[in-house]
């Protein structure tokens, strides 16, 4: 039987458990972006408690981005020094760490909020170069890879979505073309750096003419073809509750996705207790599961779960940390 604390292989990375910690916001930095002792302490607690893989809080590309105020800055002068300390701390516990890059707007030099239908080829090349440079910065800072957030309406998710992208050139139209902007980025990173590339996508959206489950799987296939090493599923408003033998629709989808591609898939969702997570592992093809808010409520809760063989997160799913964009828990400090 599978267990969340199994040691396992995740593509080119060896993990101490099947649990992936996914970061969201970072609001505990000092003026200028420098990291505080609380941030180093948080990463050490997460790494030492039994986490298999860490995905960092969101890093923003541009100081004008919609969520820059609540994200991590990778352009301040202490970035590489500060985050080399973070990655060293994490690696001391044999835990790999990916830097998560997400941007909602993009400034092509002419338009600070240029959208998929408007951006010209020169702007596309500028965007691609900035993402590739971000990956290089992550490499210098000791990260094992990059996770590019292509879900939840972030820029690249809109570019891949037929609801937003009606271009008539090689970056619009069919699935391959709409994914091309991301595929070309992945190909360059994989050919020039020793970095794990993870892509975060949605299984579907709720828009008429948007991404369907079949289209999402087709997108994942294109990302794999380009060289992506893993896929993480994400969705803001869909519950992942699991009721015994009756699979939630996301679990049906994830089994179909796992069957369709040959790279690891991480199931995200409202996981809050060890029993239901092990039930999912043993009643589906899922091998890896991510958690976010439980780590905000208590950074080292997995240590108790591992020691007791069972456990329930103190996170009450109030969603305040996410909606109010804080890196700390409102109920538990």
């Amino acid at each position: 039987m599978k267990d969340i604390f199994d040691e396992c292989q995740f593509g080119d990375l060896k993990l101490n458990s099947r649990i992936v910690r996914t970061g969201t916001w970072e609001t505990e930095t000092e003026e200028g972006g420098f990291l505080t002792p609380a941030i180093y302490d948080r990463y050490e607690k997460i790494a030492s408690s039994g986490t298999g893989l860490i995905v960092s809080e969101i890093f923003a590309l541009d100081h004008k981005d919609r969520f820059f105020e609540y994200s991590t800055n990778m352009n301040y002068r202490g970035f590489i020094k500060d985050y080399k300390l973070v990655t060293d701390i994490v690696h001391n516990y044999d835990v790999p760490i990916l830097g998560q890059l997400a941007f909602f707007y993009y400034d092509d030099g002419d338009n600070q909020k240029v959208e998929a239908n408007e951006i010209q080829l020169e702007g596309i090349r500028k965007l691609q170069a900035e993402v590739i440079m971000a990956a290089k910065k992550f490499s210098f800072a000791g990260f094992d890879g990059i996770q590019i957030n292509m879900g939840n309406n972030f820029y690249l998710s809109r570019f891949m979505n037929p609801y937003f992208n009606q271009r008539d050139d090689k970056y619009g139209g069919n699935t391959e073309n709409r994914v091309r902007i991301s595929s070309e980025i992945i190909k360059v990173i994989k050919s020039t750096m020793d970095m794990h590339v993870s892509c975060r996508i949605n299984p579907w959206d709720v828009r008429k003419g948007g991404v369907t489950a079949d289209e999402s799987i087709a997108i994942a296939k294109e990302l794999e073809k380009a060289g992506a090493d893993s896929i993480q599923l994400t969705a803001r408003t869909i519950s992942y509750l699991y009721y015994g033998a009756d699979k939630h629709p996301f679990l049906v989808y994830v089994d179909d996705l796992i069957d369709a591609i040959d790279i690891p898939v991480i199931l995200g969702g409202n996981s809050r207790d060890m029993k239901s997570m092990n039930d999912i592992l043993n009643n589906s093809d899922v091998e890896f599961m991510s958690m976010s808010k439980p780590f905000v409520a208590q950074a080292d809760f997995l240590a108790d779960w591992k020691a007791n063989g069972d456990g329930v997160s103190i996170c009450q799913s109030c969603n305040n940390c996410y909606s109010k964009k804080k890196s700390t828990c409102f109920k538990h400090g």
Side-chain angles (χ1 to χ4, degrees), residues 179-223:
V179 180
R180 189 184 305 275
I181 187 172
S182 301
S183 297
E184 291 175 343
I185 290 169
I186 294 168
K187 288 175 182 178
V188 172
I189 293 173
K190 294 303 296 182
S191 65
T192 59
M193 305 172 217
D194 183 19
M195 296 282 279
H196 183 107
V197 177
S198 180
C199 299
R200 198 171 177 191
I201 67 171
N202 295 129
W204 56 70
D205 64 27
V206 296
R207 301 179 181 92
K208 185 177 180 180
V211 173
T212 63
D214 288 343
E215 174 69 5
S216 177
I217 290 175
I219 287 171
K221 287 181 177 179
E222 290 296 325
L223 296 170

Side-chain angles (χ1 to χ4, degrees), residues 126-288:
K126 178 175 179 288
L127 182 156
Q128 291 173 320
E130 289 184 20
V131 176
I132 292 164
M133 182 57 68
K136 177 60 73 174
K137 287 183 177 181
F138 286 147
S139 178
F140 287 151
F143 286 91
D144 300 283
I146 181 172
Q147 182 177 92
I148 306 173
N149 197 323
M150 303 175 182
N152 297 344
N153 281 340
F154 283 105
Y155 193 86
L156 292 176
S157 76
R158 299 199 303 280
F159 211 103
M160 297 189 300
N161 193 325
Y163 179 89
F164 294 101
N165 184 342
Q166 290 87 40
R167 299 175 69 95
D168 57 7
D169 62 0
K170 68 177 183 177
Y171 291 98
N174 62 28
T175 305
E176 180 182 6
N177 284 355
R178 283 181 278 106
V179 180
R180 189 184 305 275
I181 187 172
S182 301
S183 297
E184 291 175 343
I185 290 169
I186 294 168
K187 288 175 182 178
V188 172
I189 293 173
K190 294 303 296 182
S191 65
T192 59
M193 305 172 217
D194 183 19
M195 296 282 279
H196 183 107
V197 177
S198 180
C199 299
R200 198 171 177 191
I201 67 171
N202 295 129
W204 56 70
D205 64 27
V206 296
R207 301 179 181 92
K208 185 177 180 180
V211 173
T212 63
D214 288 343
E215 174 69 5
S216 177
I217 290 175
I219 287 171
K221 287 181 177 179
E222 290 296 325
L223 296 170
E224 178 189 26
K225 188 191 306 182
D229 296 291
S230 63
I231 298 290
Q232 179 173 352
L233 301 182
T234 180
R236 289 183 54 205
T237 58
I238 305 295
S239 171
Y240 291 79
L241 294 177
Y242 177 68
Y243 302 102
D246 299 320
K247 286 188 175 181
H248 186 280
F250 263 60
L251 291 174
V252 176
Y253 168 88
V254 75
D255 277 350
D256 290 342
L257 176 61
I258 291 169
D259 187 56
I261 60 178
D262 293 321
I263 56 177
V265 175
I266 305 165
L267 177 66
N270 294 326
S271 301
R272 296 291 183 269
D273 69 279
M274 185 171 172
K275 181 182 183 303
S276 64
M277 294 174 74
N278 277 334
D279 283 347
I280 291 174
L281 288 174
N282 288 290
N283 290 280
S284 72
D285 294 329
V286 172
E287 300 280 347
F288 308 96

Side-chain angles (χ1 to χ4, degrees), residues 6 8-9 23 46 54 71 73 76 81 123 144 167-168 183 202 209 215 219 227 229-230 286 293 301:
D6 290 338
C8 49
Q9 199 69 28
I46 294 169
I54 294 175
S71 302
N73 180 3
Y76 70 99
K81 179 181 177 182
D144 300 283
R167 299 175 69 95
D168 57 7
S183 297
N202 295 129
E215 174 69 5
I219 287 171
D229 296 291
S230 63
V286 172
K293 299 179 187 72
F301 72 95

Side-chain angles (χ1 to χ4, degrees), residues 60 62-69 102-106 154:
D62 190 326
H63 70 279
K64 298 184 293 295
D65 195 58
R66 176 179 177 181
F67 299 118
F68 178 81
E69 181 181 354
F103 50 101
F104 195 86
Y105 299 131
Y106 186 69
F154 283 105

